[in-house]
Amino acid sequence: MASSDDFTFIEPEAPLGSKPAKPLFGNYHEFTSGKTTDLDVQIVTALRGKHPELIVTTVPGNNVNLLQFAAAGYAQVELDTENEPVLSWRGFIGPSHRGGSGYLADSTFFARYNYTWGAENFILYVISVGYSRLQYILKEPKGGENPLSHSSAVDALLSTIGAWLIKEVPAIYVYDGYWTRSTKLWEEVKKAKWDDVILDPKMKKALTQVASKFFDSKAIYEEYGVPWKRGLIFHGPVGNGKTISLKALMHTLQERKSPVVTLYVKSAPYPGHIRAVFQMARSMTPCMLVLEDIDTIVTSNTRSYFFNEVDGLENNDGILMVATTNYLERLDPGLSKRPSRFDRKYLFPLPDKGERSLYAQYWRNKLKNKKEIEFPGKLCDAMADITDDFSFAYMKEAFVATLLDLARNHGDDSDDEDAPDGDDDDPLAKYELWRVFKSQVKILRSEMGSETSVDVGSSAASLGLYEGLSIEQEEMVPLLNTMKLQGAHSRAGKAVSLTGAGEPHCGDLGGPFAQNASVFSPMVDFRTLGQSKISRLSDGVWEWGP
């Protein structure tokens, strides 16, 4: 951390007999306490008046975030309370999981910092202006610079932060009304491997090759003069491997020598959302665009817009679209029967006996180190025999329920109570695992025919791994209305500091102090202040605001 002496060159002592410069906060208080036309203009003018020898650079908080850069360890920042007061809210942030302790945090609206990057020292003001946050960087001129020119040192800092923000890191881009970049979802996706996917061998081989061949064949598409784009549909009953295959495909593409990023669309109910999805996809090519449960995305309200984005004048080269649906028959014929949009369909049917036996073997391998569970190989075929018409989701439920039952009854000698009727002649009845498994299968089979039963496959039908805010965080939103990290829908920005567990951090760390590893899309469009402000007549006075 830089010492106070490092900053004396831009904050010289006042000459003897002269009045010391008053803090900017007095002006800020005055400007925000009455009618204003443009607070930003007044703040810049005040800063230039107080520091006529320095270059004042204004940077929107949702463009490049200096406190976030420092929080990541690439710069040093120190709150300056000697020259300026701090205006902030303080509140309690609840734990993201039950049993946690939570912590206190500050949501800061006005603050001055001493900022050090490499050998350069800056004065930084971070100020909330309406519903946005502005950063004012003060730096002494160098070379031929003057107080009204750009600062080469500030430009170098901003360029470095911008390069850091757009640096590629493994992540899944998720669209749910706006784009976010989820490293947390990637952590889940990279656990999926093709070795864990149980499918017909020919289909599995086709799936592992189709995407790689597409992204390796750009030159061939160009040679034959055809658009370099493809569309695949994964369809079939719920819980039969569509999602795990999709995750394994995401993993495979990200691990390529030249990684292919995945864009995952959770929901896009309005035409404007469809437009935003394809704009992002075109900017990220080559990429895989995943439309899970496409029947809920392409509806009567968005169908024409979707078709126009796919087949219109825009260039979609390098986009591999992969759609999933449990109800192929419900899709618009323009989706399911027109090759130029989705030219290959893969059916994920209920597993046959061989696949069910392989799935049982998969669980046998998982439990091989559990010495208290006797699981001989001959049980796999037997389990496959009694689970006809079961999806992989129901098979999983049967095994999970069996293991839970065994765990609850561990050490209980009354095992015979679990044995189904008619097991006296069953040579496998001596295995407790088999007896409990048969009981659970019987229960699940009865539920399969119940109109009120819960669909056990529903949890496997969606990626369902991108988590939002906890209930505790949502309740704090009105109090701690923090600007989201690099989000286009930002609110008043805050500089966060934690008390309690952990080291202090500063900057926009996502959401209202988001507690997961998901971050927003790295860069947003830079709009000049003149374009982002709207004039309006209020009580006979023209005002400007966001």
Side-chain angles (χ1 to χ4, degrees):
M1 185 62 65
S3 65
S4 59
D5 293 339
D6 295 330
F7 299 92
T8 56
F9 70 94
I10 56 174
E11 195 70 38
E13 292 184 3
L16 187 63
S18 63
K19 295 182 179 180
K22 295 181 180 179
L24 176 67
F25 184 79
N27 300 91
Y28 179 75
H29 179 267
E30 177 187 351
F31 299 154
T32 56
S33 298
K35 292 182 178 180
T36 64
T37 53
D38 193 324
L39 184 59
D40 171 56
V41 171
Q42 297 187 55
I43 290 177
V44 171
T45 302
L47 283 172
R48 287 174 174 172
K50 295 176 184 297
H51 305 281
E53 75 284 6
L54 302 180
I55 299 173
V56 179
T57 304
T58 307
V59 183
N62 65 347
N63 181 253
V64 289
N65 190 308
L66 278 80
L67 295 182
Q68 173 198 358
F69 188 64
Y74 298 105
Q76 295 77 46
V77 64
E78 183 180 61
L79 184 64
D80 182 358
T81 56
E82 293 183 3
N83 293 293
E84 294 282 1
V86 178
L87 180 63
S88 63
W89 288 343
R90 189 152 180 81
F92 178 77
I93 304 299
S96 59
H97 295 283
R98 182 172 175 238
S101 58
Y103 55 87
L104 297 177
D106 290 324
S107 189
T108 304
F109 300 93
F110 181 100
R112 169 175 156 154
Y113 301 91
N114 294 326
Y115 197 94
T116 303
W117 173 62
E120 300 287 355
N121 299 308
F122 309 84
I123 290 177
L124 171 65
Y125 281 90
V126 180
I127 302 175
S128 294
V129 177
Y131 287 115
S132 61
R133 185 169 75 161
L134 296 179
Q135 304 165 117
Y136 298 92
I137 309 171
L138 281 64
K139 183 65 176 172
E140 80 283 1
K142 292 184 177 182
E145 298 171 354
N146 62 72
L148 296 181
S149 68
H150 291 306
S151 166
S152 58
V154 172
D155 285 351
L157 172 60
L158 298 181
S159 297
T160 301
I161 299 175
W164 170 66
L165 287 170
I166 64 175
K167 182 180 178 181
E168 284 289 338
V169 295
I172 304 297
Y173 289 79
V174 182
Y175 188 81
D176 191 8
Y178 52 87
W179 283 106
T180 58
R181 188 180 62 192
S182 176
T183 54
K184 182 175 182 179
L185 182 54
W186 164 246
E187 291 299 318
E188 295 298 326
V189 165
K190 73 179 183 180
K191 298 175 185 177
K193 302 177 181 178
W194 284 112
D195 292 341
D196 297 332
V197 179
I198 300 172
L199 290 175
D200 176 80
K202 292 182 179 179
M203 180 174 171
K204 188 174 182 178
K205 182 178 180 181
L207 287 176
T208 58
Q209 294 179 350
V210 63
S212 294
K213 285 184 177 180
F214 170 76
F215 290 111
D216 290 336
S217 304
K218 179 181 180 181
I220 297 177
Y221 279 81
E222 291 177 346
E223 180 182 352
Y224 286 94
V226 295
W228 181 37
K229 61 179 183 178
R230 284 200 71 178
L232 314 176
I233 293 181
F234 294 178
H235 67 99
V238 174
N240 287 301
K242 295 189 293 296
T243 297
I244 184 63
S245 297
L246 194 56
K247 290 165 71 175
L249 188 56
M250 293 179 185
H251 188 184
T252 300
L253 293 178
Q254 182 65 55
E255 294 295 320
R256 283 167 53 94
K257 184 177 180 181
S258 298
V260 174
V261 71
T262 295
L263 279 63
Y264 167 52
V265 181
K266 293 184 69 176
S267 67
Y270 301 110
H273 293 164
I274 298 296
R275 177 66 175 165
V277 164
F278 278 91
Q279 282 182 323
M280 181 69 163
R282 293 181 191 113
S283 70
M284 297 293 286
T285 56
C287 67
M288 180 170 69
L289 178 61
V290 176
L291 305 164
E292 191 160 24
D293 294 326
I294 191 172
D295 44 295
T296 66
I297 295 174
V298 182
T299 64
S300 58
N301 188 38
T302 61
R303 181 173 55 241
S304 62
Y305 288 86
F306 181 86
F307 291 164
N308 184 58
E309 291 294 336
V310 174
D311 298 327
L313 299 177
E314 300 277 4
N315 185 346
N316 290 329
D317 281 358
I319 299 178
L320 173 65
M321 288 193 302
V322 180
T324 70
T325 181
N326 301 325
Y327 310 101
L328 183 66
E329 69 282 359
R330 297 183 187 178
L331 293 186
D332 187 285
L335 286 175
S336 59
K337 296 182 179 180
R338 182 164 175 175
S340 65
R341 292 164 182 161
F342 293 96
D343 49 15
R344 187 67 61 85
K345 304 176 188 66
Y346 293 93
L347 172 63
F348 289 74
L350 293 172
D352 58 24
K353 178 181 176 181
E355 291 168 339
R356 296 196 302 274
S357 181
L358 286 174
Y359 188 77
Q361 183 63 47
Y362 166 79
W363 276 92
R364 181 170 180 261
N365 293 335
K366 288 184 67 172
L367 298 172
K368 63 183 179 181
N369 294 325
K370 304 294 182 182
K371 303 302 182 183
E372 66 275 14
I373 298 178
E374 194 172 1
F375 196 164
K378 58 186 176 181
L379 289 185
C380 294
D381 284 341
M383 290 172 168
D385 284 333
I386 65 171
T387 53
D388 55 298
D389 296 329
F390 269 40
S391 66
F392 284 121
Y394 266 96
M395 290 284 293
K396 178 180 179 179
E397 183 68 16
F399 276 101
V400 170
T402 297
L403 295 177
L404 289 175
D405 190 285
L406 291 175
R408 284 194 298 266
N409 297 321
H410 182 68
D412 190 347
D413 295 333
S414 57
D415 294 333
D416 292 340
E417 295 179 3
D418 294 325
D421 296 338
D423 274 358
D424 294 341
D425 298 329
D426 186 352
L428 301 178
K430 62 181 180 179
Y431 300 108
E432 182 183 14
L433 176 68
W434 170 248
R435 296 196 304 271
V436 177
F437 185 83
K438 286 183 69 175
S439 297
Q440 296 302 327
V441 167
K442 184 177 181 181
I443 293 171
L444 287 173
R445 193 172 293 283
S446 66
E447 291 181 351
M448 288 172 66
S450 172
E451 294 182 354
T452 59
S453 64
V454 177
D455 183 2
V456 298
S458 60
S459 61
S462 172
L463 289 178
L465 298 167
Y466 184 75
E467 298 178 359
L469 301 174
S470 66
I471 294 175
E472 293 87 350
Q473 288 174 302
E474 291 178 355
E475 292 174 347
M476 288 296 293
V477 168
L479 173 63
L480 300 171
N481 203 2
T482 310
M483 185 182 75
K484 296 178 180 178
L485 169 60
Q486 300 302 323
H489 303 281
S490 58
R491 299 282 294 180
K494 313 294 186 286
V496 184
S497 64
L498 308 183
T499 61
E503 295 294 324
H505 296 281
C506 294
D508 289 339
L509 304 180
F513 317 116
Q515 301 176 32
N516 57 39
S518 301
V519 297
F520 282 81
S521 184
M523 293 288 286
V524 297
D525 293 336
F526 185 98
R527 299 185 302 167
T528 62
L529 296 181
Q531 292 175 323
S532 63
K533 294 177 181 177
I534 303 172
S535 61
R536 59 183 178 272
L537 187 62
S538 176
D539 295 331
V541 178
W542 281 100
E543 297 178 345
W544 293 82

